[in-house]
Amino acid sequence: MMTWFTDPLQFDFIMRAMAAAVIVGVICSVLGVYVVLRGMAFLGDALAHTILPGVVIAFLIGWPLAVGALIFGVLTAVGIGVLTDRGDLKEDTAIGVIFAGFFALGVALLSASGNYTLDLAHFLFGNLLGVSTSDLWMISVLGGIVLLTILLFYKEFLVISFDMILAATLRLPVTFLRYLLLILIAITIVASLQVVGIALMLAMFVTPAAAASLLTRRLPTMMLVSALIGIFSGITGVYASFYWNIASGPAVVLVATAVFILTFLLAPGRGVVWRYSK
Amino acid sequence: MSTFVKQLTYHKHEHEPDSAALTLEGIVVAYHDAVNGRVTALDNLNFTVQTGERIAVVGPNGAGKSTLFNLIVGTLKPTDGRVHIFGHGPDGHICIAYVPQRNNIDWQFPVTVEDVVMMGRVGRIGLFKWPRKQDWAMVRHSLERVNASHLAKRQIGGLSGGQQQRVFIARALAQEAELLLLDEPLTGLDKPSQDSLFDILDALQAEGVTALVATHDLNTAVERFDKVMLLNREIVAYGAGQSVLTPQNLQHAYGGHVHLINSEDTMMALADTCCGGRE
């Protein structure tokens, strides 16, 4: 039985995959708490897709992927701002237009360059078992930046998530904080690209945090529980991927989804089963 | 103001001595609407609120009460005219507290009562810093003052309406607010809860805190406030309650079909304009 757990760990590529899955599980799940509380799920999903052209351009000209992704992440945020500013378009409409347009641009750029299907599959669904040592470094540095920023702006992010008018009366730099949160999401997406890929990124933001919201009543504990679910999903997903040859991204997401369903049914006080048995 | 509060008080703007808490001069708020063209939400508002006064703001839905509060808070810039708070524009002040309508708050949010009250301190703690001992002391003191110390560790979703209102006033106290805006705090509260709310407001007034309270309850407006402002895009009347809430003024503010409902302890004004407003 023990060897079932330890066997895969002999392989370096599995160890790297585990490390990447754990780091990504933590940052996505912690940042995801804000995504869930602020109702930014659609925006998060859109950002995951709109950074594709940036990543592809950076990939083609040999720049760090993070730089291309950040440029298009900021372009998305500014674009949504410009489209909704005059009040003629609703925010979700503006997000939808930019979401689809940028994603199409990314796929078009990729299709015009050589190895289309393989690269597209990797961008869309991740390539966890192909994480290199330098990838792992990049993921660690980006993850560190995200967690440190959340720590530094913890109380300000809490206020803008709970009560925007309070943020205004306290004279907090609200616009700056909102853009900062978007940039953190963009950075996290870049860090997570190889682990879950664009198509399933949303699950890593929303699912662990949603499960955690059913189990906790304070923000710090919600972040902690969300991170633990993220870590568990990452590690279990890698095992599933190794033994049953499932694509790693979907494996990680399926574990997180299973955790959510169990929580939804069994959460003390708030789960479905709990309510029925009363 | 108590010396405890005074010691900790800090303003980005020094308040001008002897200046009124709030002065509005020639305020116009207008915007362009795709359907209606130019819409005037507030027109030619001129009034002064002295430090320590308690004002009831009444008027039909859509009268511009929320717009007025947003102007004072500073989240909305007037199309024309000027807002002065203790002698300055609203921008530099962190002494204005807004207590939102209860249905504008996400009560499922994972915060406890003391977390909410601590949010009032965020402007004074400053960027990159964590709450200090004196901030926690301020939170405890604020909760004591609204008789909510025993609720400190509770998640906010489990509170009654009156408790919710008191917690948000505690947040305003922790913010060391000197100008308090309360958006329909009485709605949905039973009589004892309303009374305890006014006990707190009385104590604050004794310390010189100025309060503007939006309400639909006309009897309470007359009985428990220094002045009443009757608003319907412009100020219909402003002054002592009895002189403001006359049948003629109410007709003017609420339109032709105002129904005054007198029950044992409240008088409510209902009008056809109800629910067609933008608030």
Side-chain angles (χ1 to χ4, degrees), chain B residues 34-173:
Chain B
V35 184
N36 301 316
R38 185 184 156 96
V39 177
T40 308
L42 289 175
D43 199 10
N44 194 29
L45 258 52
N46 293 286
F47 69 90
T48 296
V49 176
Q50 297 300 336
T51 304
E53 280 186 320
R54 185 156 83 215
I55 313 290
V57 182
V58 299
N61 289 332
K65 293 181 296 237
S66 296
T67 308
L68 176 63
F69 281 7
N70 287 334
L71 264 178
I72 298 168
V73 165
T75 49
L76 179 73
K77 298 279 172 257
T79 313
D80 201 7
R82 277 195 296 190
V83 179
H84 297 281
I85 289 154
F86 297 106
H88 300 277
D91 281 349
H93 292 279
I94 56 171
C95 63
I96 309 167
Y98 176 83
V99 176
Q101 284 186 35
R102 272 175 294 133
N103 53 14
N104 288 346
I105 292 293
D106 174 9
W107 296 103
Q108 297 302 315
F109 204 92
V111 281
T112 58
V113 165
E114 62 181 5
D115 293 334
V116 169
V117 179
M118 182 55 90
M119 285 188 211
R121 300 295 306 159
V122 166
R124 286 169 201 275
I125 296 169
L127 281 177
F128 309 133
K129 292 186 199 126
W130 291 85
R132 298 150 298 184
K133 262 190 188 151
Q134 65 258 42
D135 295 309
W136 285 111
M138 192 70 190
V139 167
R140 277 194 302 275
H141 181 70
S142 304
L143 280 170
E144 263 166 43
R145 293 196 55 192
V146 300
N147 296 318
S149 299
H150 59 294
L151 302 172
K153 306 285 181 195
R154 292 260 291 271
Q155 203 266 331
I156 53 168
L159 305 176
S160 72
Q163 289 170 336
Q164 291 174 343
Q165 206 62 251
R166 271 157 40 212
V167 167
F168 275 79
I169 292 175
R171 188 179 79 177
L173 294 176

Side-chain angles (χ1 to χ4, degrees), chain B residues 10 12 18 59 68 76 89 99 126 129 138 165 188 192 202 206 210 218-219 222-223 230 232 256 275 279:
Chain B
Y10 141 81
K12 287 183 179 171
D18 307 323
L68 176 63
L76 179 73
V99 176
K129 292 186 199 126
M138 192 70 190
Q165 206 62 251
D202 287 343
T210 313
L218 302 181
N219 267 357
V222 172
E223 286 167 11
L230 185 57
N232 191 8
C275 316
E279 280 188 317

Side-chain angles (χ1 to χ4, degrees), chain A:
Chain A
M1 185 62 192
M2 266 322 275
T3 55
W4 193 90
F5 285 106
T6 50
D7 274 352
L9 303 180
Q10 299 160 8
F11 302 100
D12 282 347
F13 75 98
I14 292 287
M15 287 302 284
R16 287 196 299 271
M18 289 274 181
V22 165
I23 298 168
V24 165
V26 170
I27 52 174
C28 281
S29 312
V30 171
L31 195 61
V33 166
Y34 289 117
V35 173
V36 166
L37 291 176
R38 291 174 53 81
M40 296 165 80
F42 185 46
L43 183 56
D45 193 24
L47 268 177
H49 288 79
T50 57
I51 60 147
L52 184 64
V55 173
V56 171
I57 292 169
F59 177 68
L60 293 178
I61 62 177
W63 279 18
L65 302 188
V67 174
L70 271 187
I71 292 172
F72 273 79
V74 172
L75 279 179
T76 304
V78 172
I80 293 165
V82 169
L83 289 185
T84 52
D85 206 30
R86 293 170 42 108
D88 293 338
L89 285 177
K90 286 186 184 160
E91 190 176 78
D92 60 340
T93 309
I95 294 172
V97 170
I98 293 178
F99 178 154
F102 275 6
F103 186 58
L105 177 64
V107 177
L109 284 171
L110 202 59
S111 67
S113 76
N115 203 352
Y116 175 47
T117 35
L118 181 64
D119 289 339
L120 184 64
H122 284 173
F123 281 126
L124 281 182
F125 301 112
N127 180 22
L128 184 53
L129 301 185
V131 171
S132 68
T133 310
S134 64
D135 290 335
L136 200 53
W137 272 109
M138 183 199 73
I139 293 171
S140 309
V141 170
L142 294 179
I145 291 172
V146 171
L147 291 181
L148 191 66
T149 313
I150 291 176
L151 199 64
L152 283 176
F153 291 95
Y154 173 81
K155 63 186 190 310
E156 285 79 12
F157 283 151
L158 174 62
V159 171
I160 65 164
S161 302
F162 182 66
D163 187 345
M164 281 301 274
I165 302 181
L166 177 70
T169 61
L170 296 175
R171 311 303 168 198
L172 299 182
V174 173
T175 311
F176 166 76
L177 290 168
R178 285 169 67 182
Y179 275 97
L180 185 61
L181 210 48
L182 288 180
I183 288 170
L184 290 185
I185 293 175
I187 294 175
T188 304
I189 290 167
V190 175
S192 317
L193 213 49
Q194 271 202 297
V195 175
V196 285
I198 286 168
L200 293 171
M201 192 74 69
L202 181 63
M204 288 310 286
F205 280 124
V206 171
T207 311
S213 76
L214 298 172
L215 293 169
T216 58
R217 288 169 198 279
R218 283 194 78 193
L219 192 57
T221 42
M222 182 174 167
M223 286 179 166
L224 182 69
V225 170
S226 185
L228 291 175
I229 295 171
I231 292 171
F232 175 77
S233 308
I235 292 176
T236 314
V238 172
Y239 277 111
S241 187
F242 181 81
Y243 280 110
W244 299 307
N245 215 15
I246 306 169
S248 51
V252 172
V253 171
L254 283 174
V255 175
T257 309
V259 171
F260 173 79
I261 292 171
L262 282 176
T263 311
F264 186 74
L265 292 174
L266 301 174
R270 284 182 272 185
V272 173
V273 173
W274 187 280
R275 284 183 189 178
Y276 268 101
S277 64
K278 276 218 166 166

